[in-house]
């Protein structure tokens, strides 16, 4: 039942996102990671079922991507309103996306590293998780750069810099912050869910 509900939520938001997006090219670029994630989840579900917490976070991350794809990250209405309240000219929805780019992958990396017994010791585990997330964030910035070179002006909505010269650095900083907060806030709850997975596997 939960699998069906997950898929329904995913596709409802995906369909909404794809109806009359602000920029078709940007929509494709932003939604593509969510589609790739869906394929990987479906392929790996039987062999490596993830914790419920992680599935829910992945869905939430996908929704963030789809909303950004529909409006473009620089024009999400709610964040225009927030910018007005704060007396700012910048729509900061893209910063939410980059925070999630660290927050959710941190739990994914943690789950794989623990369940595959790749790292011993919590201190090194946390260091490696943060390093993985920061590397992933940096690689995504490289992808944005390559897309910008390949597509020229068409990539402006995808980049979402809005004239901010430190956009790349702040994006990576927010992904780093997201990864650290994820570990601090969710580690104990994640451990309990991992224990349930272990019990089910043993039975």
């Amino acid at each position: 039942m939960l699998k069906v509900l997950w898929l329904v939520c995913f596709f409802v938001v995906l369909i909404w996102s794809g109806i009359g997006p602000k920029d078709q090219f940007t929509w494709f670029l932003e939604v593509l990671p969510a589609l790739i994630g869906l394929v990987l989840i479906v392929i790996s579900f039987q062999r490596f079922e993830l914790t419920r917490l992680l599935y829910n976070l992945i869905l939430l991350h996908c929704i963030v991507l789809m909303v950004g794809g529909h409006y473009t990250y620089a024009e999400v209405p709610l964040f225009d309103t927030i910018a007005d309240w704060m007396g700012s000219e910048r729509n900061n929805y893209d910063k939410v996306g980059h925070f999630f780019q660290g927050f959710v992958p941190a739990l994914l990396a943690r789950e794989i590293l623990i369940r595959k017994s790749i790292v011993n010791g919590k201190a090194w585990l946390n260091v490696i998780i943060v390093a993985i997330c920061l590397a992933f964030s940096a690689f995504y910035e490289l992808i944005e750069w390559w897309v910008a070179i390949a597509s020229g002006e068409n990539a402006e909505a995808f980049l979402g810099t809005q004239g901010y010269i430190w956009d790349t650095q702040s994006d990576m900083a927010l992904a780093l912050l997201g990864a650290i907060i994820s570990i601090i806030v969710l580690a104990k709850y994640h451990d309990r869910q991992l224990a349930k997975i272990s019990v089910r596997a043993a039975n």
Side-chain angles (χ1 to χ4, degrees):
M1 181 61 185
L2 290 174
K3 291 181 286 187
V4 174
L5 182 60
W6 194 99
L7 289 170
V8 168
C9 289
F10 183 96
F11 282 107
V12 165
V13 180
L14 177 64
I15 292 168
W16 165 82
S17 177
I19 297 174
K22 179 75 176 181
D23 182 272
Q24 196 70 47
F25 180 65
T26 301
W27 178 83
F28 172 74
L29 292 174
E30 299 295 358
V31 170
L32 183 60
L35 296 175
I36 293 172
L38 174 66
V39 171
L40 292 175
I41 284 173
V42 170
I43 291 173
S44 64
F45 184 79
Q46 295 295 333
R47 291 177 295 174
F48 195 81
E49 182 181 353
L50 302 173
T51 57
R52 185 177 299 178
L53 169 65
L54 189 49
Y55 280 127
N56 290 338
L57 287 175
I58 290 171
L59 178 60
L60 186 57
H61 194 181
C62 289
I63 291 172
V64 169
L65 293 172
M66 293 174 196
V67 171
H70 180 79
Y71 293 109
T72 77
Y73 277 86
E75 299 186 42
V76 174
L78 174 60
F79 281 76
D80 278 338
T81 303
I82 293 173
D84 290 339
W85 289 344
M86 299 180 66
S88 171
E89 295 181 359
R90 192 181 195 282
N91 186 307
N92 283 311
Y93 185 77
D94 64 318
K95 301 310 177 188
V96 175
H98 284 282
F99 178 85
F100 270 86
Q101 196 179 74
F103 192 85
V104 179
L107 262 290
L108 177 59
R110 189 176 192 274
E111 187 147 328
I112 293 171
L113 292 173
I114 290 175
R115 290 174 62 181
K116 294 294 184 180
S117 302
I118 296 172
V119 181
N120 293 319
K122 286 188 176 181
W124 276 112
L125 175 66
N126 293 336
V127 168
I128 292 172
I129 290 169
V130 171
I132 289 172
C133 292
L134 195 53
F136 177 74
S137 177
F139 182 64
Y140 192 82
E141 295 299 327
L142 291 175
I143 292 174
E144 288 187 340
W145 175 41
W146 296 332
V147 169
I149 292 172
S151 58
E153 293 182 2
N154 288 334
E156 178 61 30
F158 176 57
L159 291 173
T161 58
Q162 302 177 64
Y164 181 40
I165 61 171
W166 303 115
D167 185 70
T168 298
Q169 292 83 352
S170 63
D171 287 348
M172 290 189 289
L174 279 164
L176 174 62
L177 180 64
I180 293 170
I181 290 176
S182 180
I183 293 169
I184 293 172
V185 174
L186 296 177
K188 289 184 179 179
Y189 182 63
H190 189 218
D191 285 339
R192 292 197 293 271
Q193 295 231 326
L194 288 172
K196 292 178 182 179
I197 289 275
S198 297
V199 170
R200 288 204 299 269
N203 294 332

